Amino acid sequence: MGTLYVNGIIRTMAHEHDVHPAMFIEAGRIVAMGDEGKLRRRFGKRVESIVNLNGKAVYPAFTDAHIHLIGYGEAIGRVDASRYMTLEELGQAFLKAEAINGIHVAEGYDETKLDQAPTKAWLNQLFPTEPALLKRTDRHTVLVNDVLFEQLGYKASTVIEGGKIGLLDSGEADGFLYDAAMEPLYALQAGSTERNKSSLRAAIKDLHRHGIVAAHTEDLSYHGELNEVLSAYKEVTEETGFHAHLLVHHLVLDEFIQANPVLPDTLSIGAMKLFVDGALGGRTALLHRGYSDDPTTRGIEVHSQDQLEQLVKRARSYGFTVAAHVIGDLAIERFVDVLEKYPAPKGTRDRIIHATVVRPELLARVRKLPVLIDVQPVFLLDDADFAEARLGLKRLDSAYRLKSLAGTGALMCGGSDAPISSPDVRRALYAAAVGKAGRIDKSNEVLSMYEALLLFTKNPHVATETHGRKGMLLPGYDADFVIFEEDFYRLADEQILTNRLVETVQQGKTVYRLEASLTTT
């Protein structure tokens, strides 16, 4: 016995204009698509209920191809610094928040959106005797107070490979830690199994609200012992049916191989994850030339070229592909150098993550590699206030190049990098299909709406080889779909951002619904 959905705009995503008015689902699977009358006659008494879509649009449910699930769940319960316009308001919220593992934590500040930039003196005044940290929105920069700085055992003179300690003109530490300098903080903030399960449940519940029922995620090395993190994932994904594709950080790869965990169908394993550089906002992304607003730095090289080669070779020894965080053009160049020397195993793809600044000659080299490109269209919106200052107008031409990246022929998947950005897919679709944010106009690099939707529907499942039953709306596929009030194909500009999600369905079961949205008989 199943459900017949009628009077809709049901886009299969198999082809750009493949659309049907009706769909019959049964036992969590799509059985047939077509005209309402034909489906009624064909399935007769097997139709237990009929849902009138009233002209609403249906798409395959979304997959976020780059997220940090536990980190996102944790962020939901913490002070969201991005909500505040003034440093005073942020400070008041920070003071009221409960400490985590004895440390006061706030997340997601962007100095370009505050009336004043946060400083160590400000954080010391808020918390003179207890450890505290404030994470920048990109999570590649944190501000710590003196109590926590001393607890970490750091000094102003401490040299950290792949990271750095910020300094004042006087030579005193300014409280800012960059990239690898942040790594000791992970152990101090690590969650218990129960806390990790709670974070996963919170993340998944919120993602359902955005139409997301699956994700590619990387957080196995930040939240406690590997076996405990995996245990939390197993329990919560089996409980919710949410599918998580796990990237394995290079710091825990050996441990993961030795553990050889048995995973449920709700979990799959992807590439070895590593970082080549930092982030554009904090000037730690690795650029070929110095930053336009600070020519004294080109960013941070998290690993030397020799170290990068050794990491890739280790992944190859285990038969793993490699997923690398690369934002700056020099970071991409370094990674491409290694991939050309040590190519992925036949029939597999390495993963280029972010690829924010890409020079034309790098596009030509990427075209020859077996890779998928993991893009975050929403970064165009997030970076709009500082991208021109960091890169300059001329170099901005080589940034946020979705159309050019697609032209390499690489498989492109879309993600949010939440909690670094919002997982609201509408923002990503707007950025990808409109290409404008603030003073930045990348309309020459936009995708069609069909191509933009593919980033979050079919393509992530091609990447994980689950595209035979997920990512499209076809007979035999899982009944994972979203219902929106309007058809994205017919919307322009800001209309994309306000299109309301009516329902999220996972294997035939509603996991999110806007109240009083559809009529069922």
Side-chain angles (χ1 to χ4, degrees):
M1 304 295 287
T3 300
L4 181 62
Y5 289 80
V6 302
N7 191 26
I9 302 169
I10 303 172
R11 295 195 177 275
T12 71
M13 296 306 294
H15 304 287
E16 184 169 7
H17 302 294
D18 192 14
V19 59
H20 299 276
M23 171 176 69
F24 180 62
I25 69 170
E26 188 176 43
R29 293 288 183 93
I30 297 169
V31 179
M33 323 280 295
D35 295 325
E36 177 184 348
K38 290 181 180 179
L39 295 182
R40 281 178 180 270
R41 290 191 295 272
R42 179 178 172 185
F43 296 104
K45 294 181 179 180
R46 286 168 62 183
V47 178
E48 185 177 34
S49 60
I50 299 174
V51 176
N52 187 349
L53 293 166
N54 293 310
K56 294 177 174 62
V58 181
Y59 311 91
F62 299 140
T63 295
D64 191 312
H66 188 82
I67 196 171
H68 304 274
L69 270 180
I70 294 177
Y72 183 57
E74 286 184 342
I76 289 172
R78 292 180 179 172
V79 175
D80 179 3
S82 68
R83 293 176 53 194
Y84 302 97
M85 303 299 291
T86 72
L87 205 56
E88 182 179 354
E89 291 173 333
L90 172 56
Q92 291 303 313
F94 207 165
L95 284 168
K96 294 175 183 177
E98 185 178 345
I100 301 167
N101 290 1
I103 303 175
H104 297 273
V105 181
E107 304 201 10
Y109 85 91
D110 181 345
E111 70 283 353
T112 67
K113 295 178 173 62
L114 286 166
D115 63 336
Q116 301 176 65
T119 64
K120 183 180 70 169
W122 167 78
L123 194 55
N124 282 339
Q125 186 175 13
L126 286 178
F127 301 102
T129 62
E130 299 174 280
L133 68 90
L134 173 64
K135 299 181 182 179
R136 196 181 185 282
T137 182
D138 54 37
R139 272 66 170 181
H140 285 263
T141 301
V142 299
L143 174 65
V144 301
N145 65 351
D146 281 337
V147 176
L148 184 51
F149 189 80
E150 292 173 9
Q151 186 176 333
L152 293 170
Y154 284 153
K155 297 179 180 179
S157 59
T158 303
V159 176
I160 298 166
E161 189 173 9
K164 69 177 182 179
I165 291 171
L167 300 175
L168 299 169
D169 291 340
S170 64
E172 176 190 354
D174 64 7
F176 288 96
L177 307 178
Y178 301 88
D179 289 286
M182 297 166 48
E183 289 181 1
L185 292 171
Y186 300 142
L188 295 178
Q189 299 176 83
S192 64
T193 301
E194 289 305 312
R195 199 172 94 199
N196 287 338
K197 287 192 289 188
S198 177
S199 295
L200 283 170
R201 291 186 181 107
I204 290 168
K205 181 179 180 180
D206 192 71
L207 292 176
H208 286 161
R209 188 171 61 88
H210 295 294
I212 298 167
V213 301
H216 302 181
T217 179
E218 192 270 298
D219 38 20
L220 295 184
S221 67
Y222 314 120
H223 302 284
E225 296 295 326
L226 175 65
N227 63 326
E228 294 182 358
V229 177
L230 284 172
S231 176
Y233 262 104
K234 289 177 184 178
E235 181 174 331
V236 175
T237 58
E238 286 190 299
E239 168 191 308
T240 61
F242 190 95
H243 187 273
H245 183 69
L246 307 174
L247 303 185
V248 183
H249 195 288
H250 72 88
L251 291 175
V252 295
L253 180 62
D254 293 333
E255 184 182 356
F256 182 88
I257 294 296
Q258 291 167 8
N260 192 25
V262 177
L263 302 177
D265 291 341
T266 50
L267 295 177
S268 58
I269 299 301
M272 181 191 81
K273 170 72 180 293
L274 57 84
F275 289 82
V276 179
D277 66 347
L280 200 60
R283 299 185 189 86
T284 58
L286 190 62
L287 300 178
H288 191 257
R289 293 183 290 106
Y291 279 78
S292 294
D293 56 357
D294 184 1
T296 66
T297 183
R298 294 194 304 173
I300 287 179
E301 187 174 19
V302 176
H303 300 289
S304 69
Q305 195 68 3
D306 181 64
Q307 290 171 332
L308 193 56
E309 286 195 13
Q310 294 306 313
L311 285 169
V312 172
K313 286 170 68 176
R314 179 151 63 94
R316 301 299 191 230
S317 74
Y318 290 131
F320 267 63
T321 55
V322 182
H325 166 115
V326 286
I327 285 183
D329 54 347
L330 184 53
I332 297 171
E333 181 179 335
R334 295 282 168 82
F335 187 48
V336 167
D337 286 344
V338 179
L339 294 188
E340 289 172 340
K341 193 171 182 180
Y342 304 100
K346 188 175 181 180
T348 66
R349 297 182 181 92
D350 291 310
R351 181 184 290 237
I352 295 174
I353 301 173
H354 305 314
T356 303
V357 185
V358 193
R359 301 192 311 275
E361 63 268 26
L362 293 174
L363 290 169
R365 293 172 66 185
V366 167
R367 188 176 291 114
K368 300 176 183 178
L369 293 172
V371 294
L372 70 86
I373 304 177
D374 177 345
V375 295
Q376 290 65 49
V378 71
F379 281 5
L380 175 68
L381 310 184
D382 295 343
D383 298 354
D385 289 339
F386 58 77
E388 183 179 331
R390 298 290 187 273
L391 298 173
L393 279 174
K394 185 175 181 181
R395 189 162 42 186
L396 197 58
D397 289 341
S398 295
Y400 312 103
R401 310 185 69 172
L402 290 183
K403 183 176 181 180
S404 295
L405 289 170
T408 66
L411 177 68
M412 292 224 310
C413 300
S416 65
D417 208 4
I420 288 170
S421 189
S422 165
D424 187 341
V425 178
R426 296 174 303 178
R427 296 185 77 230
L429 296 177
Y430 172 84
V434 177
K436 295 179 181 180
R439 293 176 54 186
I440 300 176
D441 185 344
K442 299 296 296 188
S443 54
N444 62 320
E445 286 284 355
V446 297
L447 305 177
S448 69
M449 182 54 70
Y450 172 68
E451 292 168 329
L453 283 164
L454 283 177
L455 299 177
F456 295 90
T457 55
K458 177 183 175 182
N459 290 3
H461 292 285
V462 174
T464 58
E465 298 183 349
T466 53
H467 56 292
R469 62 186 183 87
K470 290 180 178 291
M472 293 189 288
L473 300 181
L474 295 172
Y477 276 61
D478 288 349
D480 297 342
F481 54 92
V482 288
I483 304 170
F484 277 86
E485 284 191 334
E486 304 288 341
D487 184 8
F488 282 111
Y489 281 52
R490 301 176 182 177
L491 301 179
D493 300 332
E494 283 75 14
Q495 293 175 324
I496 297 168
L497 297 171
T498 57
N499 192 13
R500 290 203 301 175
L501 175 65
V502 170
E503 193 165 330
T504 304
V505 178
Q506 178 181 277
Q507 293 191 328
K509 297 179 180 179
T510 298
V511 293
Y512 168 80
R513 175 182 286 140
L514 195 63
E515 290 184 12
S517 53
L518 293 173
T519 304
T520 304
T521 58

